[in-house]
Amino acid sequence: MSDSKVNHKESQLRVVISGGGTGGHIFPAVSIANAIREIEPGADILFVGALGRMEMQRVPQAGYEIKGLPIRGFLRPLWKPANIGVALDYLKSKRMAKKLLCEFRPQVAVGVGGYASSAALGAANSLGIPTLLQEQNSYAGLANKQLAAKAEKICVAYEGMERFFPAEKIILTGNPVRQALLDSKVTREQALQSFGLEAGKKTILLVGGSLGARTINESVLGHLKEIEASGLQFIWQTGKYYSEAIAEALQQKGRPANLVVTDFISDMAAAYRAADLVISRAGASSISEFCLIGKPVILVPSPNVAEDHQTKNAMALVNRQAALYVSDAEAPVKLIQLAIDTVRDDAKLRSLGENVLKMALPDSAAIIAKEVIKLANRKS
């Protein structure tokens, strides 16, 4: 972050939004900002992120200014000597965040989880700026748990979050999702056509996030013969990280004609519309999307996340017969056959779709934006 002052208009509303690290934090943050601007078109909104993380690219692409802090996560185990540097970077980040807030003078600060939010909202608390937290997962993240005591409001996507937060501060809002998914007018036929697929055939979509999911990818590569013989169609987003190795593997093994392979899908609305069934990790944003569009899904939670929160996210749906679950360890053996069997079972697909739709919490971004504005008005 440069030493130059943050430029801002003397508008009626100034909001800082902080957090990031993954798409699961960034999509809700941008959705909240967009919803604030819908209500208050003149609002000044400044994002605060972590240098080198995804938000430093994604937020400017969405049309918002962002400042970066040199904050990082602590290494495990905590007694590693390198954590001394991490602690010093945290203190430096908090000082930088405080200076930034003094210049920008927001009436309210919003935290969506992730490294940067702990420094930025910690600084806001020390300056007496009201804070609102948005927790995407069914198991609260460390940053939000630490910030909860001083937060005015905590917006959550799952019931039972009193385990982590003071009950009187909680508002059940759901997670804001990418608006393009809800606004898309693409038909199923157009969606299938965009992937070069046939209109009359059942289709399975496999996604592992923007970077990909090793286990989902291994599950496909280990069952190419079953995929080829299934008479179904498959869209496979491998993730950019794995795309080169997968291209080589498919060159050796042969790619089935009914398998569309891509490293990244830019139009997820079309991909979801084309699919009868989705196979996905269990990130909070993805789950919220499946609920809002009523899409049958098999969830394969990532084991490489804090507090195993993806499994907890998945079980919130599975316990209501709103999704199927395969553990990461079992996926290479079970996943593809379960998907083939499920997509052929129309009654099962219908039941999953109806049950997941019941869990939807629509208008999340607008509800959160109104709470943000209320806090700002109180401060003013």
Side-chain angles (χ1 to χ4, degrees), residues 126-177:
S126 69
L127 293 168
I129 297 164
T131 59
L132 176 144
L133 305 179
Q134 199 260 328
E135 175 56 61
Q136 296 98 30
N137 293 294
S138 62
Y139 194 95
L142 187 60
N144 280 347
K145 281 196 280 192
Q146 289 172 337
L147 294 164
K150 293 190 174 174
E152 299 274 338
K153 297 286 178 186
I154 304 168
C155 298
V156 302
Y158 293 89
E159 291 170 355
M161 297 302 284
E162 298 82 6
R163 291 176 296 155
F164 308 106
F165 304 129
E168 68 278 5
K169 296 182 179 184
I170 293 174
I171 308 169
L172 183 64
T173 60
N175 282 326
V177 302

Side-chain angles (χ1 to χ4, degrees), residues 9-36:
K9 305 181 293 294
E10 287 296 328
S11 65
Q12 61 198 41
L13 177 64
R14 290 184 304 283
V15 181
V16 158
I17 300 177
S18 185
T22 67
H25 292 312
I26 298 161
F27 294 139
V30 170
S31 296
I32 292 165
N34 291 341
I36 291 169

